[in-house]
Amino acid sequence: MATTVKYTKTNHRPLAVVTGASSGIGYYLAKECAENGFDLLIVADDPKINDVARDFPLGTLVDAIESDLATTQGVDELVSAINGRRVKALFANVGHGLGYAFLDQDFEEARHVIGTNVTGTLYLIHKVGHEMRERGEGRILITRSIAGFMPGTYQAVYNGTKAFMDSFSFALREELKDSGVTVTCLMPGATETEFFERADMLDTKIGAGKKDDPADVAKIGFEAMMKGDGDVVSGLKNKVQSALAAVTPSGMLAKQHGKMAKPGSAKK
């Protein structure tokens, strides 16, 4: 069930909606918004979101919603909290991962990853995007991943959802090109967040390896969105990796990913 926390009230500031904002990239995207003149509606399926609401600069109006955006009800709760306000920027950032081989996963957990990363995200964009298009202005940032460029051995459902959303973001951008609404796709690599712990992947090479700073990733994504860029890959290493993925056979990519994401690989 949703809960709402209201902090310091101001007037005449544009509204940004940030999902997955209790930690990681989403938290720092919200901070970028607050520092650049936005009021905030932040949401996560973690009760910590209510404490996070007090982290932002004085003068920022912050509404915090605890809700599961994998469900239709959760998205409807968020839309209800918008309460008719004009959303200037939507940061569709929420995402969950899941480690282990597909047939060894609990299917309800796999379904929740799909619900969070794809179905719920599409539903929210559909709801908020309609209002943006009607008034002829707005910005949408979709946080995806360079994982969408490669078959995700031992992370197959997660990578599949990222591939879907990478494709969707470019299609939506083209559909809205003359509407006054921009769509930007942020594609980070492995980032220092709670993602790998929640996905039960801390014993993998990728989970235990060096990762990017979420504050840096968020800044890159925010600036790209404000410029209206179509996509941005954060970090030189990730740019190289995504470029190589475009010319490497899928079978080889799947094998390489398996070496990084196989359970227990960090111990070898």
Side-chain angles (χ1 to χ4, degrees), residues 85-192:
R85 290 176 287 176
R86 294 184 175 185
V87 178
K88 183 74 172 182
L90 171 63
F91 294 81
N93 169 78
V94 67
H96 288 315
L98 189 62
Y100 291 86
F102 173 65
L103 295 182
D104 296 329
Q105 293 172 347
D106 181 298
F107 189 73
E108 287 308 310
E109 292 183 4
R111 189 197 298 272
H112 190 265
V113 170
I114 297 169
T116 302
N117 297 0
V118 178
T119 312
T121 296
L122 292 185
Y123 183 39
L124 177 60
I125 292 172
H126 196 267
K127 286 282 193 180
V128 176
H130 260 292
E131 188 272 332
M132 287 181 170
R133 187 179 64 177
E134 285 177 3
R135 72 171 194 271
E137 67 166 354
R139 300 180 185 276
I140 299 172
L141 178 76
I142 302 174
T143 303
R144 295 305 90 189
S145 173
I146 63 168
F149 296 136
M150 61 197 76
T153 309
Y154 300 111
Q155 214 177 350
V157 173
Y158 173 77
N159 284 40
T161 65
K162 295 303 182 180
F164 179 96
M165 291 304 300
D166 288 347
S167 174
F168 170 80
S169 68
F170 285 103
L172 181 63
R173 177 179 173 83
E174 181 65 18
E175 291 175 0
L176 293 173
K177 66 180 180 180
D178 298 320
S179 69
V181 181
T182 64
V183 179
T184 301
C185 185
L186 170 61
M187 293 177 279
T191 305
E192 194 62 61

Side-chain angles (χ1 to χ4, degrees), residues 17 19 65 135 146 176 183 212 229 239:
V17 175
T19 69
I65 305 296
R135 72 171 194 271
I146 63 168
L176 293 173
V183 179
D212 295 332
D229 292 345
K239 286 181 169 67

